[in-house]
Amino acid sequence: MEEQDSHKVLFSINEVSKLVGVPASTLRYWEKQFSGIRPRTDKHGNRYYKQSDIDLIKQIKYLRDEMHITRIEAIRNELSAPRRRADQRQHAYEILTTVKTELEAIRSAI
């Protein structure tokens, strides 16, 4: 996963698309399906996402791709579950991915 500029406040739809790894069309669709994704728009209609939008998009992508939850309603239910199980699972997945990357780097260095 690509690191983003920690000082940046708003991200364009193209930046979010590259960062998260989903097409801009999917982002626009998810905006309609998940009320928590609320990008700002400028006078030209360009979308700009906050970090909280990006975090939610990452959770949705994680549920779809890693947990294989494909129905929108099921993803909504998972996101609204007590203690947000999705948060815990996604966090664990990100840690394991980081550890895997570091171990691969060590292995190639040996």
Side-chain angles (χ1 to χ4, degrees), residues 1 7 16 32 36 40 45 54 57 69 71 73 76 80 82 92 100 102 107-108:
M1 243 183 260
H7 302 292
V16 175
K32 295 173 186 164
R40 296 179 183 178
I54 296 169
I57 291 165
I69 301 173
R71 289 181 28 248
E73 188 61 33
R76 279 192 205 116
S80 66
K100 178 183 175 188
E102 291 174 4
R107 183 179 189 191
S108 66

Side-chain angles (χ1 to χ4, degrees), residues 24-41:
S25 59
T26 299
L27 294 174
R28 288 189 290 273
Y29 174 72
W30 285 353
E31 285 173 33
K32 295 173 186 164
Q33 300 302 316
F34 300 97
S35 61
I37 304 173
R38 294 183 303 265
R40 296 179 183 178
T41 55

Side-chain angles (χ1 to χ4, degrees), residues 34 36 52 55-60 62-63 75-91:
F34 300 97
S52 60
D55 293 341
L56 179 54
I57 291 165
K58 286 179 179 180
Q59 285 184 331
I60 293 166
Y62 167 78
L63 290 169
I75 293 172
R76 279 192 205 116
N77 289 340
E78 185 69 24
L79 290 171
S80 66
R83 298 181 46 83
R84 295 192 73 170
R85 292 179 303 213
D87 289 343
Q88 295 167 345
R89 290 178 183 157
Q90 180 185 6
H91 183 67

